[in-house]
Amino acid sequence: MSSADFTYDHVGATREPGFRPAGFHPMRVRTRLGEGEAVFRRAAEAVMSWEMHRALGVGIDTPADRAAPGVDVTVVLAGMIKAPCRVVWTVEETRRAGWAYGTLAGHPECGEESFVVDRTGDGTVWLTVEAFSRPARWYARAGGPATRGLQHAYARRCGTVLRRLATRGPEED
């Protein structure tokens, strides 16, 4: 995958724990979802199939049913702000599943964000949303710290929504 279309260098860097390019604001929000294999499987599927994002109430415009490297996706916020991205990596393992997307031209931010579900040795299931970003559009720059606050609130909301999706019983499907 060519990095020419991305609005930042270090494409794929969210795969490297702790690495953040100079000049970018880091973010890491970890939310406990529950425990057990069933919770992990439901959470992983909800992340990989865009269900978590759609349940957040954001628009997801993509031709793909699932996240996969090279898939373009536009996140639409409040029906007005369009944020074009491309999936840069995915992982689907026995105890870990998720993906990251990087920003393309027209996105209000510049950087990368990952959404990873993992099941630890004791069976606890977690969602980690990790990102590095900096403003790319005038309104993101004008928002300053408030923009970063909104990013953190979005990441926390991802955890809340995914917990609900992953822990509901089969009768609630």
Side-chain angles (χ1 to χ4, degrees), residues 43 45-62 67 73-77 85 87 98-101 113-116 127 129 154-155 157-159 161-162 164-165:
E45 182 60 22
V47 167
M48 297 302 292
S49 68
W50 320 109
E51 181 184 6
M52 176 188 74
H53 283 80
R54 288 188 170 113
L56 284 164
V58 298
I60 296 292
D61 183 13
T62 181
V73 57
T74 299
V75 180
V76 183
L77 304 167
C85 305
V87 177
W99 52 272
Y101 53 36
E113 187 169 29
S114 67
F115 306 88
V116 178
L127 170 68
V129 179
Y154 180 82
R157 179 87 176 119
C158 285
V161 166
L162 189 58
R164 179 180 50 81
L165 293 171

Side-chain angles (χ1 to χ4, degrees), residues 32-51:
R32 184 182 184 282
L33 303 178
E35 15 184 274
E37 179 66 21
V39 170
F40 171 77
R41 279 186 280 111
R42 285 192 295 264
E45 182 60 22
V47 167
M48 297 302 292
S49 68
W50 320 109
E51 181 184 6

Side-chain angles (χ1 to χ4, degrees), residues 82-166:
K82 294 186 178 186
C85 305
R86 181 169 297 136
V87 177
V88 296
W89 60 262
T90 61
V91 60
E92 289 190 80
E93 300 170 350
T94 306
R95 300 177 81 84
R96 191 167 180 259
W99 52 272
Y101 53 36
T103 58
L104 301 174
H107 195 293
E109 292 284 319
C110 172
E112 196 169 290
E113 187 169 29
S114 67
F115 306 88
V116 178
V117 177
D118 68 280
R119 185 169 168 229
T120 60
D122 69 356
T124 305
V125 181
W126 297 88
L127 170 68
T128 304
V129 179
E130 197 158 0
F132 58 87
S133 64
R134 64 182 177 208
R137 307 287 291 260
W138 70 266
Y139 52 86
R141 282 189 296 278
T147 300
R148 290 192 298 283
L150 289 172
Q151 289 173 320
H152 279 81
Y154 180 82
R156 287 190 301 276
R157 179 87 176 119
C158 285
T160 300
V161 166
L162 189 58
R163 182 185 307 118
R164 179 180 50 81
L165 293 171

Side-chain angles (χ1 to χ4, degrees), residues 28-29 38 106 163:
R28 185 175 194 272
V29 175
R163 182 185 307 118

